[in-house]
Amino acid sequence: MPRGGSPQRELQHCCLPGAECQRTEQEGRARGFKITGDPRKLGFAQCHRTPGPLHPSALPPPVPNSQEFLSKFAAFQGTMNEPEFPSNFVKPVEKVENASVPDKLKFNFYIPSAAINQGSSVDLVLLPATTGDFGVMPGHVPTVAELRPGVVSVHNELDKDVTKYFVSGGFAFIHADSTTDVCAVEAVPLSDIDSDAVRAGLAEYTGKLASLQGKGDDYELAAAQAGVEVYSALNSALGL
Amino acid sequence: MLRRAGHSLGSRLCQRQGQLEPAVQGLKPSFAVAEEAVEGARDASTLLVKQRMKSVANIGKITKAMKMVAASKMRSAQVNTMNSRGIAEPLLKLLGDLPDAQGKKNVYVPITSDKGLCGGINTTVCKYTRASIKAEDGEDKEHSIVVLGEKGRSQLQRDLRASIHSTVADTGKVRVTFAQAAAIADGINTTEFDVARLIFNRFHSAISYKPTIATSLEKEAEAGGLLDQYEIEGPDRAELLQNLSEFNLASTLYNALMENNCSEQASRMAAMESSTKNAEEMLGKLTLTYNRTRQATITTELIEIISGATALAG
């Protein structure tokens, strides 16, 4: 699969209206998707699952399965209080049964040092997954995707208010209630990237990779390859 | 100073006496010598108290400065900690929190500070670590510890030296970064654990930090059926899940490091605050003692001078 190409060429999943869905109808039905609408006209229909009574449309709150641990701990507790668990501090999500597909996507975008988006309502998010770029709209199938270095486009309003970030990698989770969580290791707005530095970096790492071919240990080779991958992605993101 | 005061007092009195009674003037030299001898003996107790007062005042200044430094560090650490909670939460929601999880190889990661004078937080973490190890101990279960922070190492090596796999120090020396957390997570992965438990102090407020145990599993897929509802992209499901569990460990560890750092600053602030208060209290008591002693010596001196003068006069 070619990496570092422009997002349009790599579109494998179709969640943009008008594009062609790569999934065949059979595949879709086998996975339990309800095919709504004409696949030729509404390409994304096959990727969308209509929430039925069997599908919980909200993520169940994390239950700290801690009874056993606490009972074992009690024997050695002495004067200490019971230990806390991280799930004790997470607000439980309300379960909404049989909810229809919401208008907008609830989008959370986290990096270690900040929460770039928290609970924002957006129309569309384009994500660069390792398997190819795909877009997320309300009603998307619950998915776990690993991200590669690439551009995340956040469409607050479809094609009108777009913010683009370059991410270095991470994970994206799309939940059944159309909440999308993107956890990236690093994300910068495209406007903040210096094109000269990108060109220089790409040249440097391509040179390094070329000189290391055949020799050099695995670590150096992997580091050079990673460098080339990131810088080519940056290159294509900036349109250089 | 005391000597000079005594001298000037004595000489002034002598002079006044001298105006009225010329005979007294002859007494000055011998009187002065006697005065000095007596003063030397008197000075010893006040000098000791004086030295102690100086050192306590210095301690008070140092602890006050440390408190202010800790307060300012805590303020910025608090902002960073709140920001760091974001990245760990979706993973927690997706993969669940399973403290009950059982595995053959258990690794415990107590997160402590490198510097001392931060109250009881390190002792708390070590106590919870020891209790957890004992609680989870069983047949064919292996336990190892990866200690973060010098204070934890010095406490745990007393009785759990054999279980300590490795120690990581100087984590927060410059700044805690995700790269650091990822590197430490890599190190923890070398223990080839089944269940990892991170024990740290979660920051709630400037006076409240709760010991928390975060669990991370090697085989996330087997944990909780939530993942089955999700479609996993890509041909290599196992590799993605492996990456996911490593990312989970790194994010949880990063969050835990930030929380513990913030709790450390808050705890140090509180400890230094109480130290300063104690130092001030001690200084007050010593000042009273000093003044009492000083006033007593002056009174004694006056009595001696006056009785001596009256004896001569009478």
Side-chain angles (χ1 to χ4, degrees), chain A residues 61-233:
Chain A
V63 175
N65 303 302
S66 54
Q67 264 66 40
E68 270 184 50
F69 180 78
L70 284 173
S71 57
K72 280 190 260 180
F73 191 82
F76 305 98
Q77 209 169 317
T79 50
M80 298 188 279
N81 290 334
E82 271 183 5
E84 302 278 348
F85 303 104
S87 48
N88 294 351
F89 307 106
V90 174
K91 268 182 291 201
V93 183
E94 296 113 33
K95 234 180 175 165
V96 183
E97 293 295 341
N98 289 348
S100 58
V101 175
D103 285 336
K104 290 226 178 197
L105 206 58
K106 206 155 140 235
F107 182 54
N108 298 318
F109 189 6
Y110 299 117
I111 49 174
S113 52
I116 300 178
N117 284 67
Q118 180 121 15
S120 331
S121 296
V122 300
D123 275 337
L124 167 73
V125 182
L126 285 172
L127 298 169
T130 45
T131 50
D133 287 14
F134 71 103
V136 184
M137 288 185 91
H140 197 281
V141 148
T143 311
V144 170
E146 190 179 343
L147 302 176
R148 66 164 204 279
V151 178
V152 168
S153 302
V154 182
H155 292 240
N156 293 342
E157 291 230 6
L158 201 55
D159 288 335
K160 285 189 212 136
D161 181 9
V162 187
T163 329
K164 293 195 182 179
Y165 301 93
F166 185 82
V167 297
S168 63
F171 278 89
F173 312 114
I174 303 139
H175 303 299
D177 61 350
S178 291
T179 312
T180 308
D181 295 318
V182 176
C183 298
V185 176
E186 191 63 70
V188 287
L190 275 188
S191 46
D192 286 356
I193 301 179
D194 179 14
S195 35
D196 293 327
V198 169
R199 274 191 222 105
L202 182 61
E204 182 194 330
Y205 276 95
T206 339
K208 249 193 231 177
L209 189 63
S211 67
L212 279 175
Q213 285 297 343
K215 56 178 160 88
D217 63 67
D218 285 335
Y219 181 79
E220 281 174 34
L221 204 62
Q225 273 174 340
V228 170
E229 186 184 324
V230 174
Y231 274 104
S232 335

Side-chain angles (χ1 to χ4, degrees), chain A residues 33 59 65-66 68-69 72 81 84-87 89-90 110 112-113 131 141-144 146 171 173-175, chain B residues 83-84 86 90 92 94 97-100 102 128 135-136 202 204 210-213 230-231 233-234 243-244 254:
Chain A
F33 298 174
L59 204 61
N65 303 302
S66 54
E68 270 184 50
F69 180 78
K72 280 190 260 180
N81 290 334
E84 302 278 348
F85 303 104
S87 48
F89 307 106
V90 174
Y110 299 117
S113 52
T131 50
V141 148
T143 311
V144 170
E146 190 179 343
F171 278 89
F173 312 114
I174 303 139
H175 303 299
Chain B
N83 286 339
S84 78
L92 182 69
L94 180 74
D97 188 17
L98 299 137
D100 284 347
Q102 299 291 304
Y128 276 84
E136 287 292 331
R202 193 175 188 274
H204 283 270
K210 307 220 170 102
T212 312
I213 303 183
Y230 287 76
E231 195 189 298
E233 304 281 340
N243 288 344
L244 186 62
Y254 175 75

